[in-house]
Amino acid sequence: MSGPAHPQPAGPADNFRRAQLLHLRVGAAALFGLAALGVVLESLHAFKAPWYLGVAGGARRFLFTLAHAHGIGLGLVNLGLAAALPLLPGRLPAAASRCLVAGTLLVPAGFFAGGLYAHAGDPGLGALLVPPGALSVLIALGLVLRAALARDGG
């Protein structure tokens, strides 16, 4: 047996480290996945794929571009938060991490799903994921701002 029979509850340092690793992993995964999507989109453009470049594909192309751009941006936000966590004077609530991760998943997924099923210039129902994802990101950023404006040790 290598560890105690009853593990100790995680302390603040463990929670801090877990949050930092979570945002590092989510940010790196988002950058990798959405950069790969960008390569696929560029390839579809280079090979003049009618499904992508045709007249009916304008909305699809726009939504896929939005998925790519927002996903890259939110991946960078996650990496920035992972790097900035040690500098925050206040404690970052766990809800901030949950909301940012949810938004990082929902916003690009909503744009992408909306583009997959775009019809007659309108996005598919998947685009309904974007508003709750955007709200999650705004909540997370507000909580990060509150932690950044706290007094030392607050």
Side-chain angles (χ1 to χ4, degrees), residues 7-101:
Q8 298 296 318
D14 292 335
N15 290 337
F16 170 81
R17 178 75 174 147
R18 242 185 250 124
Q20 195 173 31
L21 286 174
L22 172 69
H23 291 292
L24 180 64
R25 290 172 179 154
V26 168
L31 284 179
F32 178 80
L34 278 299
L37 174 64
V39 170
V40 169
L41 297 179
E42 289 295 330
S43 298
L44 288 170
H45 199 279
F47 292 113
K48 309 274 188 250
W51 175 79
Y52 184 65
L53 287 180
V55 174
R60 174 177 294 116
R61 193 170 48 254
F62 182 61
L63 288 163
F64 285 175
T65 301
L66 286 172
H68 168 68
H70 283 82
I72 292 288
L74 288 168
L76 291 171
V77 168
N78 274 277
L79 290 178
L81 182 58
L85 272 173
L87 303 174
L88 291 177
R91 188 184 69 75
L92 186 68
S97 287
R98 286 193 297 269
C99 285
L100 184 55
V101 170

Side-chain angles (χ1 to χ4, degrees), residues 100-151:
L100 184 55
V101 170
T104 300
L105 297 172
L106 289 174
V107 171
F111 282 128
F112 189 78
L116 276 178
Y117 301 105
H119 180 69
D122 292 328
L125 289 177
L128 292 174
L129 296 174
V130 175
L135 182 61
S136 293
V137 170
L138 286 175
I139 290 169
L141 294 177
L143 292 171
V144 170
L145 178 62
R146 187 175 77 177
L149 295 175
R151 297 183 189 268

